[in-house]
Amino acid sequence: MMEFKNHPFLFIIINFFFFIFFIFSSISSYQIQSFPLPPKINGGKWVLLKQSIGISAMHMQVLNNNKVVIFDRTDFGASNLSLPFGVCRFDSNDVALTTDCTAHSLIYDISYNSISPLMVQTDTWCSSGSVISNGTLIQTGGYNDGDRVIRIISPCQQQQQNQNCDWIEVPEYLSVRRWYSSNQILPDDRIIIVGGRRAFSYEFFPRKQQQSGTGNSYYLGFLEETRDHYDENNLYPFLHLLPDGNLFIFANRRSILFDYTGNRVLKEYPMIPGDDKRNYPSTGSSVLLPIRLSGSNSSSSGNHLPEAEIMVCGGAPPGAYSQAQHGNYVGASKTCGRIKVTDPKPEWVIEEMPMTRVMSDILILPTGDLIIINGAHNGTAGWESAVNPVFHPVLYLVNEPDPTQRFKVLNPSPIPRLYHSSAVLLPDGRILVGGSNPHRLYNFTDVTYPTELSLEAYSPPYLSDQYSNLRPRIISVGPTGSSLIYQGMFTVTLYLPFYPEKDLSVTLLSPSFTTHSFAMNQRMLVLKVVSLLQLSTTVYQLGVIGPPTPKIAPRGYYMLFVAHDLIPSEGVWLKMEG
């Protein structure tokens, strides 16, 4: 056998090839480690409901008649959905069409998987909304001729469209332009409307009697202080009603506790760590985590208040929007922050998502866990301002004690959902997903991410057939069957194939108005279960105590769910009344 030491040149050549092989192997290995296939659990199922609904779903709201109001803007020209019976909209102020015979809003019927066009008169672009206690959607602001308009639509039971099932518009109701503002329903059934582009103020709907004009608007310096010079990053501020009745407001990287009745800032919370910006156009998302009305940190009698915790996820680094305008799409934020705002000295706790995300929606699931869905890896909100869609939703286990085990990557959608996409939770536990139009007009050709008119449903893992034997089915709610009173005892009768060895939870979940990655008015209450009675081999009755006050649960319609071992029932609608 030839000895290398007797042939030094051959020894050098062989070692050189080994060196080259090692370098290429290392590079290949590094690339594989940098782009791992994300781990998945039983990852849920996607179903295409409609190839096209004719409009791109910029805004969505589920109503208590199991229908969803969906609408886009009106100033881009004709949509792909005609108004019925030759009806047209005539608007000399419209920047695109003064005569428009197409719809820019519709009703989606969940049960029938059908749509009916609606007539919206003024521009709803980048507007906001809330549902008041009688189930009526109050929709606020927009752009151009719609920036000070209030629009109203009430649930109707008829499958056919008629005059009672369409928008009613109140022009010039708002005191100032509300474009990119946020809404929150309040304990007294008013809506607070906060911010907007160059609107450093807030106002209420309904306003006080005999009050009109700019006197209905109240200056909020926090909004002006949080506005970056060019990128803004304080639009669509995150609003959450806390159990003490005050308002948590987050903009850019800062947050305050705000007394809207006295127009005063009660507290400023610590700034969220890191440099990432969180609001439009850097567009992260935020959620008030489920409020537990059972356990040591709560009281059904209202003698002391339950804990409240806020979560903020995603966003983009400073200057990301400016860079995107020049074709440089920087990586989005990978972090989430949690803060227990009811603590005497609250501090942010930072966690990392499995991937970077901007423009994602966060929705509360019937189990009390979260789903993070839609968005992009790079860039920001805005026209042509993001690339590299995030196709995988992420499940976040709120109560998992080990932070490294809280995020679970789910099965991907085949459809990019970027700027102007939205998502809402349906009463059957699915997630309705639509929209995505990163262009000034509807554009379906010669672009990387065409305007998306489709509607999808995502079924989380808990809807898998393998859990059917664990799934409760609500038979009735007593004593009234349709309404609850504060601090009142009520019963939930349910079907379950066997005795519940695992925990049964009862929750109330308010449906959100979702747009621009913020699910406004979203709120879950985990109620106190005080008794379990077996009525037959498969029928059980739970005794439950309702929420204590309108500050904790504002009046209005909620979806009630029962979950057994984290497998939820379908929701039933109940009205929270005083």
Side-chain angles (χ1 to χ4, degrees), residues 477-485 489-491 574-575 577:
V477 178
T480 64
S482 60
S483 63
L484 301 178
I485 61 172
M489 171 81 78
F490 68 99
T491 60
L574 292 179
K575 188 178 183 183
E577 297 182 314

Side-chain angles (χ1 to χ4, degrees), residues 383-445:
W383 284 317
E384 324 294 343
S385 296
V387 295
N388 199 4
V390 185
F391 295 101
H392 289 270
V394 168
L395 179 68
Y396 180 80
L397 306 176
V398 172
N399 298 313
E400 167 59 50
D402 182 355
T404 66
Q405 299 299 312
R406 288 179 184 158
F407 292 99
K408 307 293 182 183
V409 179
L410 303 173
N411 284 339
S413 165
I415 301 174
R417 300 289 184 181
L418 300 172
Y419 187 43
H420 290 154
S421 61
S422 60
V424 290
L425 176 75
L426 300 180
D428 59 19
R430 295 176 299 161
I431 309 298
L432 186 68
V433 180
S436 188
N437 184 25
H439 316 294
R440 290 179 181 269
L441 305 175
Y442 278 13
N443 195 341
F444 305 101
T445 59

Side-chain angles (χ1 to χ4, degrees), residues 41-45 363-371 395 410 425-431 458-468 470-472 509 561 563-570:
I41 61 172
N42 177 6
K45 180 181 179 182
L363 298 175
I364 305 174
L365 297 173
T367 58
D369 294 322
L370 309 179
I371 190 168
L395 179 68
L410 303 173
L425 176 75
L426 300 180
D428 59 19
R430 295 176 299 161
I431 309 298
Y458 173 70
S459 296
Y462 55 63
L463 290 177
S464 171
D465 289 341
Q466 71 186 84
Y467 303 122
S468 58
L470 297 175
R471 195 179 323 284
L509 182 55
F561 295 94
H564 172 238
D565 196 19
L566 295 179
I567 306 302
S569 67
E570 287 197 13

Side-chain angles (χ1 to χ4, degrees), residues 41-180:
I41 61 172
N42 177 6
K45 180 181 179 182
W46 288 88
V47 173
L48 182 65
L49 298 174
K50 293 282 187 184
Q51 186 68 46
S52 172
I53 59 171
I55 68 172
S56 191
M58 186 189 297
H59 314 78
M60 290 204 286
Q61 172 74 60
V62 181
L63 301 178
N64 66 285
N65 60 351
N66 286 325
K67 297 179 183 180
V68 186
V69 179
I70 301 175
F71 55 97
D72 197 1
R73 41 191 272 242
T74 66
D75 65 341
F76 59 86
S79 76
N80 286 23
L81 179 65
S82 296
L83 288 165
F85 314 119
V87 173
C88 296
R89 177 174 64 95
F90 303 98
D91 186 354
S92 60
N93 295 315
D94 194 291
V95 297
L97 290 174
T98 56
T99 301
D100 187 356
C101 303
T102 63
H104 302 279
S105 177
L106 59 85
I107 286 281
Y108 173 72
D109 190 306
I110 300 169
S111 301
Y112 291 93
N113 190 33
S114 62
I115 60 172
S116 301
L118 299 173
M119 167 76 84
V120 62
Q121 294 284 352
T122 54
D123 197 357
T124 51
W125 180 18
C126 299
S127 51
S128 51
S130 294
V131 173
I132 57 176
S133 62
N134 67 359
T136 297
L137 171 60
I138 307 297
Q139 203 277 311
T140 53
Y143 182 65
N144 195 34
D145 63 347
D147 59 9
R148 294 178 59 188
V149 173
I150 291 284
R151 303 170 196 86
I152 301 168
I153 188 166
S154 298
C156 62
Q157 299 304 322
Q158 299 93 328
Q159 191 175 356
Q160 297 295 323
Q161 181 186 359
N162 61 38
Q163 199 170 20
N164 297 322
C165 301
D166 218 329
W167 291 101
I168 298 171
E169 304 201 20
V170 185
E172 301 301 314
Y173 187 95
L174 298 171
S175 59
V176 298
R177 180 194 208 199
R178 297 295 173 190
W179 189 33
Y180 297 92

